[in-house]
Amino acid sequence: MGRWRAAFLLLDHIASASKSLIPNPPLPPRPLRLSLHSSPVSYFFSSRPFSAIPSRVSVDINEFDSGSPSFDHNDELFDKEDEEIGKIPVKAFFLCTSINLKSMQAENLSNVVPPTSRSSNYIALRYCDFSTENTVFGVKRNLGCCRYMVVFQYGSAVLFNIEDHEAEIYLDIVRRHASGLLSEMRKDDYAVKEKPSLVEDMRGGPDYIVLKTLDTDGVRIIGSVLGQSIALDYFVSQIDGMVQEFADINRGMEKTGTFTMDKKKLLQLVGKANSNLADVILKVGLFERSEIAWRDAKYAQIHEYLREEYEVTQRFGNLDFKLKFVEHNVHFLQEVLQNRKSDLLEWCIIGLLTIENVISIYEIVRDSNAIPL
């Protein structure tokens, strides 16, 4: 009985071993999920990171398309799309030395934006085009319904949401009330990008600033800094011309030991330097406080960022240094001219004394010859 039990256990063990050698039948293949109409956005959000461990996942046929973009490329496309949405071109011009704001406001009364501060050296104008597709300012490039122009009394005009081919139309409005038009107008380009999903109030970039939204106070703040910057460029160029003129005079004095400038020309240079400095400080208001920035920290942040971006304080420091160089040369040349005048007066006195002595000698000789022997 024990032998039969041992034989039965042996046969059972052999049968179990033979079953383990037979491979498991393969599982039926899982059908593919074919999303032929899937968009890049749904593909981006439904994707999963690559893993070294295979897993049974549904496969999108777009993953096997050799022409489909990679994840990084999709990110770049989304970033570029975000940057392009709400891009508003900004152009700053300096075209004259003075603008009559009162007459300009009277002529464009229906377009004047009501002021929110007591500043009287600028006006903001708004031009709306309701025939366009969009009704929100700056939603798409060149399709915003409103265009803004900020005009400053000292000669700057800043245009918002206006393309190059349209700029002359708006500048002609300014020229009708301008005096001292420049032979060569100065221009600077900038941009504002609206991004409502922005977490912070603003973010800077190369030649642009990103805001949640651009309102009229933002237009005034950005326009004020850009208008001051382009005006400062003009005054710096004027002082640079004076510095170059004095440098040529000094080189001539180095070679010849004298100079030929008359007093009238020197006084003209003095008056030009002083008037430029007064215009920068008084008219441009380079260091005046902005009431809009004072009331709201958001606009104060934009104001300070743009002043730092355009290096307004540093450029004024360079201008002041050049003016000191001009002042030093003016004092030196005035002393030289004064010495020349003193020398001329001394020679005139010497000449008169000589003539007087000659006349006295002549009279003595004549009187001596007239005495009878």
Side-chain angles (χ1 to χ4, degrees):
M1 193 67 186
R3 288 178 298 175
W4 286 106
R5 181 178 180 83
F8 181 77
L9 291 175
L10 179 60
L11 290 175
D12 184 61
H13 180 71
I14 293 172
S16 300
S18 62
K19 288 181 180 181
S20 63
L21 295 176
I22 299 174
N24 293 326
L27 294 174
R30 187 182 182 90
L32 295 177
R33 180 175 58 85
L34 303 179
S35 56
L36 295 177
H37 302 284
S38 61
S39 62
V41 177
S42 62
Y43 169 75
F44 178 79
F45 288 104
S46 62
S47 62
R48 66 185 298 273
F50 292 105
S51 175
I53 302 175
S55 60
R56 295 180 181 178
V57 294
S58 59
V59 181
D60 193 340
I61 194 172
N62 289 331
E63 293 180 4
F64 298 97
D65 187 2
S66 59
S68 63
S70 63
F71 296 109
D72 294 338
H73 188 58
N74 278 335
D75 292 339
E76 293 178 359
L77 290 177
F78 293 137
D79 291 340
K80 290 181 180 179
E81 184 179 357
D82 288 341
E83 288 182 358
E84 292 299 326
I85 290 177
K87 183 174 182 180
I88 303 168
V90 183
K91 297 173 177 61
F93 298 89
F94 189 80
L95 61 160
C96 62
T97 57
S98 180
I99 299 175
N100 190 339
L101 296 182
K102 291 184 178 179
S103 63
M104 187 173 182
Q105 183 173 355
E107 182 179 331
N108 302 271
L109 193 60
S110 60
N111 302 108
V112 175
V113 180
T116 58
S117 64
R118 295 172 294 178
S119 179
S120 60
N121 72 331
Y122 75 91
I123 58 173
L125 304 176
R126 175 171 52 208
Y127 301 89
C128 293
D129 182 10
F130 294 103
S131 62
T132 56
E133 297 179 1
N134 296 317
T135 58
V136 180
F137 173 66
V139 169
K140 285 186 179 180
R141 180 189 293 183
N142 302 331
L143 292 180
C145 68
C146 291
R147 299 170 175 86
Y148 287 82
M149 179 168 64
V150 186
V151 183
F152 297 89
Q153 188 271 334
Y154 52 80
S156 292
V158 184
L159 312 182
F160 290 80
N161 205 29
I162 299 174
E163 297 296 337
D164 290 332
H165 65 279
E166 302 172 325
E168 283 298 324
I169 300 174
Y170 295 90
L171 292 179
D172 287 337
I173 300 175
V174 180
R175 291 190 181 99
R176 291 199 291 267
H177 308 275
S179 59
L181 289 171
L182 305 181
S183 58
E184 183 178 356
M185 182 174 58
R186 293 183 170 271
K187 178 187 176 184
D188 190 15
D189 291 320
Y190 200 64
V192 178
K193 297 182 180 180
E194 287 185 322
K195 191 173 182 180
S197 60
L198 191 66
V199 177
E200 59 270 21
D201 291 330
M202 57 139 295
R203 186 178 66 205
D207 295 330
Y208 68 86
I209 185 173
V210 183
L211 304 176
K212 287 183 179 180
T213 182
L214 180 63
D215 53 11
T216 54
D217 281 341
V219 167
R220 292 185 178 97
I221 285 292
I222 296 173
S224 65
V225 179
L226 267 63
Q228 290 175 348
S229 175
I230 196 69
L232 190 58
D233 280 344
Y234 168 76
F235 291 114
V236 169
S237 67
Q238 295 295 305
I239 301 301
D240 286 342
M242 298 176 62
V243 170
Q244 183 63 40
E245 188 169 357
F246 280 110
D248 294 337
I249 293 174
N250 292 328
R251 292 191 187 97
M253 292 178 61
E254 181 182 1
K255 295 178 180 179
T256 62
T258 185
F259 71 100
T260 58
M261 178 182 290
D262 57 358
K263 186 176 182 180
K264 181 179 179 180
K265 177 66 174 178
L266 183 62
L267 292 177
Q268 287 177 343
L269 290 176
V270 174
K272 185 177 181 180
N274 293 334
S275 63
N276 284 331
L277 182 60
D279 289 341
V280 171
I281 296 176
L282 300 178
K283 288 186 178 180
V284 180
L286 208 59
F287 298 101
E288 291 183 1
R289 184 186 64 183
S290 173
E291 293 186 16
I292 298 175
W294 182 261
R295 291 196 305 263
D296 196 327
K298 175 179 66 175
Y299 300 115
Q301 184 181 5
I302 297 173
H303 186 262
E304 291 302 321
Y305 169 78
L306 289 175
R307 284 179 64 89
E308 185 66 24
E309 179 73 12
Y310 280 93
E311 300 180 346
V312 174
T313 304
Q314 294 86 338
R315 288 159 59 196
F316 178 79
N318 294 334
L319 175 66
D320 186 55
F321 177 78
K322 293 175 182 178
L323 284 173
K324 289 180 179 179
F325 172 79
V326 172
E327 181 181 2
H328 173 74
N329 281 269
V330 166
H331 285 312
F332 171 74
L333 296 179
Q334 280 181 337
E335 290 180 358
V336 173
L337 291 177
Q338 187 66 31
N339 291 334
R340 283 183 178 180
K341 186 176 181 180
S342 299
D343 293 342
L344 179 61
L345 291 176
E346 289 178 359
W347 282 107
C348 290
I349 293 173
I350 292 174
L352 291 174
L353 292 175
T354 302
I355 293 173
E356 184 179 2
N357 291 333
V358 170
I359 293 174
S360 299
I361 294 173
Y362 172 76
E363 290 178 351
I364 293 172
V365 172
R366 187 188 63 181
D367 294 340
S368 63
N369 292 331
I371 297 175
L373 297 174

